[in-house]
Amino acid sequence: MQTLGLPFLLFWLVWGHSCALGGKVNKHKPWIETSYHGVITENMDTVLLDPPLVALDKDAPVPFAGEICAFKIYGQDAPFEAVVLNRTSGEGVLRASGPVDCEIQKEYTFIIQAYDCGAGPSGADWKKSHKAVVHIQVDDVNEFCPVFREPLYKASVTEGKIYDSILQVEAWDQDCSPQYSQICNYEIVTAGTPFAIDRNGNIRNTERLSYDKQQSYMIMVTAFDCGQKRAKEDVAVHIDVKPVCKPGWQGWNKRVDYEPGTGSRQLFPKMHLETCGGPLSGVKAMVELQTNHIGKGCDRETYSEKSLQKLCGAASGSTDLLPAPSPSTNWTASLLTDSGRDSDLIYRFDGRQAANVPDHVVPQNLTDQFTIATWMKHGPSPGLRAEKETLLCNSDKTEMNRHHYSLYVHNCRLVFLLRRDFTQVDTFRPAEFHWKLEQICDKEWHYYVINVEFPAVTLFVDGVTYEPYLVTDDWPIHSSKIDTQLTVGACWQGGEVATPRFTQYFHGSLSGLTIRPGRIETQKVISCLQACKEGLDINSLESLAKDIKFHFNPAQSVLVVDGEDVDSINTAMTKVSYINSRQFPTAGLRRLHITTTVQCFGEDTCLSIPDIKAVVMVLPPSEPRITISGSNRLVRPAGDLRAPLGVAPFKELHITSTVMKGDGFGGSRRPGVMEVMHNLDYCDVLVIGDELNPERESLEIHHSALLGKHLDATNSTSGISIYGVDSMAHYEQALRQVRYRNWRPATLSERKFRLTCSELNGRYTSNEFNLEVSVLHHSAPVEHVNHMAAQPQYMRPVHHPLMIHTLNSHMSGAAPPAATVVIVVCIAALVVIVVIGVYRIHATHQEGSREDEDGGKEPEEDWDNSALTITVNPMENIKGAQALDEEVKEEGQEQEEEEEEEEEQVGGMTSTESDNSDEDEEEEEEDEREKTVVCLCDQR
């Protein structure tokens, strides 16, 4: 009892009192609230209840009966338990008995009851309260990141439109509460994009998109929940920009590179026409190649006018009135030149320049048939429309001002004036022929040819025939003895003025002005002379559809393709090509312009197809290096130079040409030198030093050497020029047959020549090949010569010229005239003696041969004429030589005609002994010949 204490004692007193009074202790059941609301944070165990969990019992303070012993929960697997904190006060607590996860279950509802302790310590006769409803809400924790529902978002837009929403991205959060499970914000991570996104994930464009500028966009997007937790991984959004369906050509390149020598190059291999699905009845496309800025309107051969006429088969006899300035054609030296590109010779007239053609150049009689041809570029001249602009004029040189014939431009009309002489015709005849053409003042290059078959005159412009729209008649010009003056670029007014002067100046550019009397030019030659070497082409014509029609202009610079089906037109356009047949074309841009017309059923035009502008870039060709090689010195005996054919200085000539090329495909390896074959248009052999003296020397080529070749030649005292477009091999053959002849070689010390060759009128030139021709003289005189020890001379073959002189020119030039005569006569006598000696030795040889045939066979005697060496004193008395000449004239009369040949034979002798001859006999013969010569020449 002492251990239990006072409280226990009081409890038993009260309990005993209650039993004594009524006999029943636990009369009341516990009382709790009818409902509770609680909140628990997930992943925690404490529940906050409202109101607090407290049970009351009216039996209090009776022990056991007035106390609360337990709270019991009734529900389906409710993860909670109620614990009594104070039995007397009835306070309790509700806590989680297991994990509580909001993402699994957000709310719980269950029943709870309170139990008292019963009537005594044994717990018998306990009572329980009424049932109370408990509603528990689980509070969320922001433990999850937003996640996008798709790994990749795709959308497409049409260019040029502003969208309210292109697409919507969506993210979600596993958290259970609205605060943490909802996505409150989206954000575009990629910077600098023309897009924006709202809080609902809608993406829109902030500016109009262009397919040409950018065809697709890739942007990154992230999301935030309402707790500002960012998505663990951003999402990619791919937006394609689709072009607006615009009718037009697609799949073409703005630039096409053309490599020289590759033939035909396709311009639009992948091009097709987009019509946006509309039904069409026909398509017409025109492709134009614009080459007005290249040369004279396009890429043509830039050979000289003479070479081009030879190449095209034109008749000979034309006169070039605007040649390149040179010592022989100096009347064009004062004119302004505009070489442009590739040595294409162009003369520019600004209204202040003109040139008088020398009289010896002007054709004196044009006859009733002749041709005038020229390239002309001319435009309108403001303020000068009333002035005549003269290209070519033949007028009186003095006294009067009559125009015999002229070609001029007046008010953008081309006029040809031809006044016949009164002696040729005495009636009113056609005199002025007028043509009014757009080409005359369009500031473009055109080729004009006037064919005169009097009284008919025909004009060709770029190969197209035009008849004059106006012909005026006039009386013939009365004959006079006044000389005429042919002028280019103006007209000469020599009479009826105080001071002769030029008038009617031309404003424009001219090139290749020629006049050919006696013949008119054919249509074929005219077309060849003005033909372009570049143009448009169509590959594989046989593969085109049957409904396709195409047409080229004469220059092949314009192509028109017409068809009914779009697919057929597309196929045809992919086969349009550019071609340049020149081996060395002019590099640079060529512009392309395509215009298209589309027709629909029942309508003239229904779609507007934009024009196409592109360029062809012709790459620079590999420049050739022309090399002339051969022997630089030619030494020949005087007899060769005096011979009727003379000598061939360039007999060993070789012409080669090389270019630098890459050894590997595509130039991946080091470049190398590759030999190429191409044409030449002229080779000039110039005389270095004093000009040729026609009285004693000539440099010429026989006409037969040019037969079968497109070559011609002119020569003068300054040299020789071979011209014409032909192969290097033909030029090589012709140059090897150039002959130099000098019928007075004694006066020649040396003659030097310089050879140069050209391709494309000087665009590519060779090296300067210098050649020296010298005379091979006889040995200098000496008193005694050991013919056994003398070195052999002139033994080298002809194709290896000697590089020595045996007699200096100043020594021979220093000899007095009398001594020179003596030397010449002694040499002549020497030749006769040699002939006699040869005859005697030959007779001895024949006699020995007959003895061999009779019986005893002697060793064969080989006689070498080179063993004969004769020493002459050229200063002996001329009378002795003349007496010797008379003594042997009867035996050697016919040998004097072959004097040159015998001198060369003597020059070719050597001191080699005959192996089988008798030395004693040979010495006796030589001594005898030496004595004879000395005796004859020793007389003074």
Side-chain angles (χ1 to χ4, degrees):
M1 293 294 291
Q2 293 179 355
T3 306
L4 295 176
L6 181 62
F8 186 76
L9 179 61
L10 289 175
F11 171 77
W12 282 105
L13 289 175
V14 173
W15 177 76
H17 175 71
S18 297
C19 291
L21 290 176
K24 189 176 181 181
V25 177
N26 192 8
K27 296 189 297 183
H28 301 92
K29 54 184 182 180
W31 176 90
I32 58 176
E33 298 287 345
T34 57
S35 64
Y36 294 91
H37 293 275
V39 176
I40 185 174
T41 302
E42 65 176 341
N43 303 324
M44 299 184 70
D45 58 356
T46 301
V47 179
L48 299 178
L49 283 177
D50 183 26
L53 184 58
V54 177
L56 300 176
D57 196 326
K58 291 182 179 182
D59 292 327
V62 177
F64 299 103
E67 295 178 352
I68 303 301
C69 280
F71 292 99
K72 290 188 178 180
I73 294 175
Y74 300 93
Q76 295 180 353
D77 300 328
F80 297 96
E81 61 179 359
V83 179
V84 178
L85 295 180
N86 190 327
R87 293 170 63 175
T88 301
S89 63
E91 295 180 54
V93 65
L94 187 66
R95 60 187 180 188
S97 60
V100 177
D101 193 343
C102 180
E103 288 72 36
I104 298 176
Q105 190 169 343
K106 299 180 180 180
E107 294 179 350
Y108 293 89
T109 301
F110 51 88
I111 302 297
I112 189 171
Q113 287 182 310
Y115 289 80
D116 61 15
C117 296
S122 62
D125 197 19
W126 51 262
K127 293 183 180 295
K128 60 182 179 180
S129 68
H130 61 271
K131 296 180 179 178
V133 178
V134 180
H135 182 76
I136 304 297
Q137 180 180 349
V138 181
D139 279 352
D140 189 20
V141 175
N142 195 5
E143 56 184 331
F144 292 99
C145 297
V147 177
F148 286 95
R149 295 190 181 277
E150 300 293 339
L152 175 66
Y153 289 88
K154 293 183 179 180
S156 61
V157 296
T158 302
E159 64 174 342
K161 293 180 61 178
I162 296 293
Y163 289 82
D164 293 333
S165 177
I166 298 174
L167 79 160
Q168 183 182 23
V169 297
E170 184 180 2
W172 66 286
D173 198 315
Q174 296 183 28
D175 291 316
C176 65
S177 64
Q179 180 182 2
Y180 300 133
S181 64
Q182 291 184 0
I183 306 300
C184 285
N185 192 24
Y186 292 93
E187 185 177 320
I188 295 177
V189 179
T190 305
T193 61
F195 299 97
I197 190 170
D198 61 18
R199 62 186 304 167
N200 295 321
N202 294 305
I203 298 177
R204 61 183 176 86
N205 57 320
T206 58
E207 62 184 50
R208 300 182 187 276
L209 305 180
S210 172
Y211 177 81
D212 295 333
K213 180 179 179 181
Q214 190 166 343
Q215 300 177 5
S216 64
Y217 294 86
M218 179 70 75
I219 60 176
M220 302 301 296
V221 176
T222 190
F224 295 89
D225 61 18
C226 293
Q228 294 303 306
K229 197 174 188 69
R230 180 173 174 171
K232 185 176 181 180
E233 293 183 358
D234 300 335
V235 70
V237 180
H238 185 86
I239 300 176
D240 291 326
V241 181
K242 292 184 177 180
V244 176
C245 186
K246 298 178 181 177
W249 293 102
Q250 298 180 3
W252 53 277
N253 295 324
K254 293 184 179 180
R255 168 172 166 164
V256 180
D257 288 342
Y258 181 82
E259 185 175 352
T262 56
S264 183
R265 170 69 188 276
Q266 284 182 275
L267 297 175
F268 317 109
K270 298 180 180 180
M271 187 170 72
H272 64 278
L273 180 62
E274 177 60 60
T275 61
C276 296
L280 306 178
S281 61
V283 179
K284 179 185 290 185
M286 183 175 70
V287 184
E288 182 181 2
L289 179 67
Q290 299 175 347
T291 59
N292 297 336
H293 61 291
I294 302 295
K296 295 192 289 287
C298 68
D299 208 2
R300 294 182 170 93
E301 296 293 5
T302 55
Y303 295 114
S304 65
E305 200 62 31
K306 279 189 176 181
S307 297
L308 283 175
Q309 291 180 357
K310 187 82 174 178
L311 185 65
C312 291
S316 59
S318 67
T319 301
D320 190 356
L321 302 180
L322 286 176
S326 69
S328 60
T329 58
N330 57 3
W331 70 89
T332 60
S334 62
L335 299 179
L336 297 177
T337 59
D338 183 9
S339 298
R341 300 185 180 187
D342 306 332
S343 302
D344 199 2
L345 185 60
I346 295 171
Y347 288 95
R348 181 164 52 87
F349 296 86
D350 60 358
R352 292 176 293 181
Q353 288 85 23
N356 283 330
V357 181
D359 293 338
H360 70 275
V361 177
V362 180
Q364 297 302 316
N365 185 14
L366 292 182
T367 71
D368 288 340
Q369 288 188 340
F370 62 92
T371 299
I372 298 176
T374 185
W375 285 95
M376 182 178 73
K377 181 180 181 181
H378 180 265
S381 301
L384 300 175
R385 296 182 60 83
E387 294 289 335
K388 294 181 179 180
E389 300 178 53
T390 304
L391 287 74
L392 178 69
C393 181
N394 184 268
S395 59
D396 290 332
K397 185 176 293 187
T398 58
E399 300 183 22
M400 303 181 71
N401 188 28
R402 299 176 301 175
H403 295 186
H404 296 262
Y405 62 88
S406 67
L407 181 64
Y408 61 89
V409 176
H410 188 209
N411 290 337
C412 289
R413 291 168 173 82
L414 186 66
V415 183
F416 176 62
L417 169 69
L418 179 61
R419 301 285 302 278
R420 311 296 292 176
D421 291 341
F422 191 82
T423 56
Q424 295 173 321
V425 61
D426 56 357
T427 60
F428 212 53
R429 301 302 299 272
E432 280 190 344
F433 304 84
H434 299 250
W435 293 271
K436 184 178 180 181
L437 304 172
E438 295 180 357
Q439 295 93 320
I440 297 173
C441 286
D442 65 357
K443 297 182 180 180
E444 304 291 347
W445 280 104
H446 300 284
Y447 187 56
Y448 298 83
V449 178
I450 295 179
N451 273 347
V452 178
E453 288 182 290
F454 194 80
V457 177
T458 304
L459 171 67
F460 292 86
V461 180
D462 298 332
V464 180
T465 307
Y466 296 92
E467 297 296 333
Y469 82 94
L470 176 65
V471 178
T472 59
D473 297 340
D474 203 347
W475 290 105
I477 295 178
H478 290 274
S479 60
S480 66
K481 296 183 179 180
I482 301 175
D483 293 333
T484 59
Q485 176 64 59
L486 183 62
T487 308
V488 177
C491 202
W492 178 255
Q493 187 173 3
E496 301 178 359
V497 290
T499 303
R501 60 187 175 87
F502 290 113
T503 185
Q504 300 177 6
Y505 283 101
F506 178 69
H507 298 76
S509 298
L510 297 176
S511 179
L513 177 59
T514 61
I515 184 168
R516 176 184 287 105
R519 297 189 62 174
I520 62 173
E521 209 61 271
T522 64
Q523 175 82 42
K524 181 179 179 181
V525 171
I526 294 173
S527 299
C528 175
L529 289 173
Q530 61 91 34
C532 291
K533 294 300 181 180
E534 64 179 342
L536 299 173
D537 193 15
I538 291 185
N539 293 334
S540 306
L541 292 176
E542 63 279 358
S543 64
L544 296 180
K546 295 182 179 180
D547 66 318
I548 293 295
K549 300 176 183 178
F550 63 92
H551 172 71
F552 287 99
N553 69 333
Q556 284 193 229
S557 61
V558 177
L559 168 64
V560 178
V561 181
D562 194 352
E564 300 176 357
D565 182 63
V566 175
D567 293 337
S568 300
I569 287 289
N570 290 338
T571 302
M573 292 298 288
T574 59
K575 298 183 181 299
V576 176
S577 305
Y578 169 81
I579 187 171
N580 194 316
S581 60
R582 294 188 67 190
Q583 189 173 7
F584 305 105
T586 302
L589 291 176
R590 275 76 164 163
R591 294 178 178 86
L592 289 168
H593 188 204
I594 301 178
T595 57
T596 310
T597 304
V598 177
Q599 293 181 346
C600 296
F601 292 98
E603 301 180 25
D604 293 336
T605 58
C606 56
L607 292 178
S608 177
I609 307 298
D611 293 352
I612 284 181
K613 293 183 179 180
V615 295
V616 177
M617 173 59 78
V618 178
L619 303 178
S622 299
E623 296 191 0
R625 181 179 181 181
I626 306 171
T627 304
I628 303 176
S629 60
S631 177
N632 294 96
R633 189 169 184 183
L634 181 68
V635 181
R636 285 292 182 270
D640 287 358
L641 296 175
R642 284 196 299 265
L645 294 180
V647 296
F650 305 104
K651 190 173 183 180
E652 300 178 8
L653 183 76
H654 293 283
I655 304 176
T656 58
S657 182
T658 56
V659 295
M660 298 297 296
K661 286 286 187 180
D663 294 333
F665 179 78
S668 58
R669 297 172 58 186
R670 289 186 176 181
V673 179
M674 183 177 67
E675 186 171 349
V676 294
M677 301 299 296
H678 57 78
N679 291 330
L680 300 175
D681 58 352
Y682 68 81
C683 285
D684 290 338
V685 180
L686 300 179
V687 177
I688 306 302
D690 296 336
E691 294 187 356
L692 297 175
N693 187 343
E695 296 182 359
R696 62 171 181 263
E697 59 184 340
S698 66
L699 182 70
E700 58 188 12
I701 182 171
H702 197 271
H703 180 69
S704 61
L706 305 178
L707 293 178
K709 306 177 179 68
H710 296 289
L711 298 177
D712 207 344
T714 59
N715 63 340
S716 65
T717 57
S718 300
I720 187 169
S721 177
I722 303 175
Y723 61 90
V725 182
D726 213 332
S727 64
M728 292 188 294
H730 280 179
Y731 267 93
E732 201 174 78
Q733 295 171 10
L735 288 168
R736 289 177 179 177
Q737 298 185 60
V738 172
R739 313 295 297 191
Y740 172 71
R741 184 168 178 254
N742 191 316
W743 43 94
R744 295 180 185 176
T747 62
L748 177 66
S749 171
E750 60 183 12
R751 172 60 76 185
K752 294 181 180 180
F753 302 98
R754 176 175 296 162
L755 170 63
T756 57
C757 293
S758 157
E759 165 65 337
L760 296 175
N761 201 22
R763 179 179 174 185
Y764 305 115
T765 56
S766 70
N767 60 311
E768 294 183 349
F769 179 77
N770 296 309
L771 175 68
E772 180 182 321
V773 178
S774 302
V775 181
L776 183 63
H777 298 279
H778 294 292
S779 301
V782 292
E783 293 184 1
H784 300 286
V785 176
N786 183 355
H787 67 276
M788 297 296 294
Q791 295 295 323
Q793 298 184 24
Y794 323 134
M795 287 300 291
R796 298 187 182 183
V798 175
H799 59 275
H800 292 297
L802 287 175
M803 299 298 179
I804 60 172
H805 265 132
T806 57
L807 181 63
N808 293 332
S809 57
H810 69 276
M811 293 176 62
S812 61
T820 303
V821 175
V822 172
I823 293 173
V824 174
V825 174
C826 289
I827 292 175
L830 175 62
V831 171
V832 177
I833 296 172
V834 170
V835 172
I836 297 174
V838 171
Y839 175 77
R840 289 178 56 191
I841 296 174
H842 183 64
T844 305
H845 180 68
Q846 294 256 348
E847 184 178 356
S849 300
R850 286 194 298 270
E851 290 175 0
D852 291 342
E853 292 175 358
D854 293 339
K857 191 173 184 179
E858 297 289 335
E860 185 179 357
E861 181 178 88
D862 295 333
W863 179 77
D864 187 357
N865 62 355
S866 64
L868 179 60
T869 302
I870 300 174
T871 304
V872 181
N873 185 354
M875 302 304 296
E876 297 301 328
N877 197 333
I878 186 173
K879 293 181 180 180
Q882 291 175 347
L884 177 62
D885 190 15
E886 293 176 358
E887 181 179 343
V888 300
K889 182 176 294 184
E890 295 179 359
E891 297 180 8
Q893 184 70 30
E894 68 280 359
Q895 299 298 330
E896 293 180 358
E897 298 177 358
E898 301 177 2
E899 179 179 345
E900 295 175 1
E901 180 180 355
E902 295 299 334
E903 288 179 354
E904 183 178 358
Q905 181 178 358
V906 173
M909 294 179 183
T910 68
S911 59
T912 307
E913 285 188 320
S914 174
D915 295 337
N916 299 322
S917 62
D918 191 343
E919 294 183 0
D920 296 335
E921 291 181 5
E922 184 174 347
E923 291 178 359
E924 290 177 0
E925 291 173 1
E926 291 177 354
D927 292 338
E928 184 178 352
R929 288 196 298 271
E930 185 174 346
K931 291 176 181 179
T932 304
V933 174
V934 172
C935 289
L936 291 173
C937 296
D938 206 18
Q939 301 174 4
R940 298 183 180 271

